Amino acid sequence: MAKQVGITITEHILRQQRENPRATGAFTTLLNELIVAAKVISREVNKAGLVDILGGTGEVNVQEEQVQKLDVFANRVIFERMCHMGQLCCMGSEEVADLIDIPSQYPKGNYILVFDPLDGSSNIDVNVSIGTIFGIYKRESKDANEEVLLDDVLQPGSKQVAAGYFIYGSSTMMVYTTGDGVHGFTLYPSVGEFLLSHENIRIPERGKIYSVNESYCGYWDEKTKAAIDYFKTKDKKTGRPYTARYVGSLVADFHRNLLKGGIFMYPADLKDPKKPTGKLRLMVEANPLAMVVKQAGGYASDGHGPILDVQPEELHQRVPLFIGSRKDVEVAEAFISGKMGPG
Ligand code: P6P
């Protein structure tokens, strides 16, 4: 396909639709609505710092409520945009304990949207990049109006038909895949359009960066410690030690490694007995990024096998995450699964 850099996301999605004989346009509508939600979130995130200076926006939202915390705001924006466009049978949000039904007054479809509306939101007040992460599934052959069961949603990440994220940083970007490569779009604020800026992103098969919160090393088991020590050990042949970079915002750490190469790790730890498999969530964080990284030539593992093969047992299931450059993740997996030992 001819170079497309600079085309709008709408044109890019339509071109992909035209190339898919089975496409009905439903998916295009869904993505376009999600993009509008992200533009609204981006605007609010980018003026968050002013709330204090201006003594609060003083604005009230449609429910006559004071402007709320940004992650609650982001969750509401996505719900309100997505619930009426007739392509979804339900949604799952990091902010909401149970499945979100589509209100009865709106038409339904057979797509399922799972999302983390504003990941890393604790970083907003220090002006660190944050993001919205999303994954889209199709409900297996059922009538759109048939009651949605949790089992319809708990599908392995390999069943996602699309996935991606928005990153609200020095610029706002959208990175997504529908299974035909990974493409990045940068928001041109004064025009309000996402323009193709990173066509067909490929992650280097080996990086020079490792990202992990090392303050937890006292909570890791010996295999995890050995995996992380590997990236810190001097070895000229394999370009080690790697450089340590940890933003503390998953989308920011992931996006940097996607473009430059490297590995992000959030291992299982004994920090919180209620979260023995780590902090990050399978459905709304690990699976969408695992589809993106695989489509870019990388790999995502839970330490024993592909994240995308994990059969979810519950909506907010947490999972250890090792994601990024394929060869780096394979090394980490070899240590965690015991195939490789220290030294
Ligand atoms: P920790 C942010 O709160 C988040 O969910 C991810 O964006 C980030 O990668 C992780 O938690 C950071 O967690 O335990 O290192 O502060």
Side-chain angles (χ1 to χ4, degrees):
M1 184 183 291
K3 270 281 177 206
Q4 307 183 76
V5 170
I7 67 167
T8 64
I9 176 84
T10 308
E11 175 55 27
H12 191 268
I13 296 170
L14 283 171
R15 288 187 187 184
Q16 293 206 321
Q17 177 187 322
R18 284 195 286 269
E19 281 166 23
N20 176 353
R22 295 192 314 279
T24 62
F27 184 69
T28 300
T29 308
L30 197 164
L31 266 185
N32 281 329
E33 281 302 325
L34 191 57
I35 288 161
V36 174
K39 289 178 184 175
V40 173
I41 295 167
S42 173
R43 185 198 62 186
E44 287 307 300
V45 165
N46 289 335
K47 71 178 186 185
L50 291 173
V51 169
D52 299 338
I53 296 168
L54 300 178
T57 61
E59 284 174 14
V60 292
N61 58 27
V62 289
Q63 283 89 4
E64 296 299 310
E65 295 157 351
Q66 285 301 321
V67 172
Q68 301 157 317
K69 273 178 59 184
L70 272 174
D71 44 8
V72 174
F73 170 81
N75 187 63
R76 191 158 51 73
V77 166
I78 294 173
F79 171 73
E80 287 174 356
R81 286 240 59 99
M82 303 307 287
C83 70
H84 58 70
M85 43 110 227
Q87 305 306 339
L88 295 174
C89 60
C90 73
M91 292 182 249
S93 167
E94 193 265 351
E95 291 286 325
V96 180
D98 303 313
L99 277 188
I100 303 169
D101 293 329
I102 303 302
S104 54
Q105 69 267 35
Y106 296 128
K108 293 174 184 56
N110 264 331
Y111 285 107
I112 297 164
L113 173 69
V114 293
F115 59 95
D116 184 351
L118 206 57
D119 179 78
S121 51
S122 57
N123 293 299
I124 291 172
D125 51 3
V126 291
N127 220 5
V128 165
S129 299
I130 52 181
T132 298
I133 308 170
F134 66 92
I136 299 169
Y137 297 81
K138 272 215 93 152
R139 183 161 66 148
E140 304 298 326
S141 59
K142 276 192 181 173
D143 176 81
N145 290 303
E146 204 173 315
E147 185 203 357
V148 181
L149 304 173
L150 187 55
D151 278 354
D152 295 328
V153 177
L154 297 182
Q155 300 180 38
S158 55
K159 297 276 192 182
Q160 290 172 115
V161 293
Y165 57 89
F166 297 90
I167 179 167
Y168 313 107
S170 48
S171 65
T172 291
M173 274 193 72
M174 174 186 183
V175 176
Y176 88 111
T177 180
T178 57
D180 185 20
V182 176
H183 310 286
F185 299 78
T186 301
L187 182 63
Y188 189 167
S190 56
V191 173
E193 279 292 352
F194 279 102
L195 302 180
L196 182 62
S197 52
H198 298 67
E199 188 174 18
N200 200 21
I201 298 172
R202 302 294 294 170
I203 185 170
E205 66 170 7
R206 187 189 298 278
K208 295 184 176 55
I209 295 170
Y210 78 99
S211 313
V212 69
N213 188 335
E214 301 218 44
S215 69
Y216 300 144
C217 66
Y219 298 107
W220 294 331
D221 65 20
E222 290 312 309
K223 289 173 181 166
T224 302
K225 287 177 188 169
I228 286 149
D229 285 346
Y230 170 86
F231 295 106
K232 298 163 67 171
T233 303
K234 205 157 137 247
D235 176 79
K236 206 168 172 57
K237 190 162 51 67
T238 52
R240 289 181 290 151
Y242 283 16
T243 298
R245 289 286 183 275
Y246 193 74
V247 178
S249 178
L250 173 60
V251 174
D253 281 314
F254 176 82
H255 184 68
R256 179 204 54 243
N257 291 353
L258 180 72
L259 298 184
K260 293 179 178 274
I263 179 170
F264 172 91
M265 298 173 275
Y266 205 112
D269 61 46
L270 302 174
K271 173 161 71 334
D272 181 344
K274 294 195 295 296
K275 302 175 192 170
T277 54
K279 174 181 186 181
L280 301 180
R281 290 176 171 79
L282 174 62
M283 295 297 291
V284 296
E285 291 169 320
N287 270 337
L289 299 183
M291 180 179 183
V292 170
V293 84
K294 180 175 182 181
Q295 280 290 317
Y299 178 42
S301 169
D302 63 358
H304 298 277
I307 286 280
L308 292 174
D309 291 352
V310 175
Q311 174 54 51
E313 304 299 331
E314 51 185 70
L315 188 59
H316 294 287
Q317 176 172 334
R318 298 174 194 271
V319 69
L321 181 61
F322 302 83
I323 189 168
S325 294
R326 167 167 292 284
K327 288 192 181 299
D328 294 332
V329 177
E330 286 171 347
V331 164
E333 186 180 88
F335 276 105
I336 302 293
S337 59
K339 295 189 194 95
M340 204 162 149

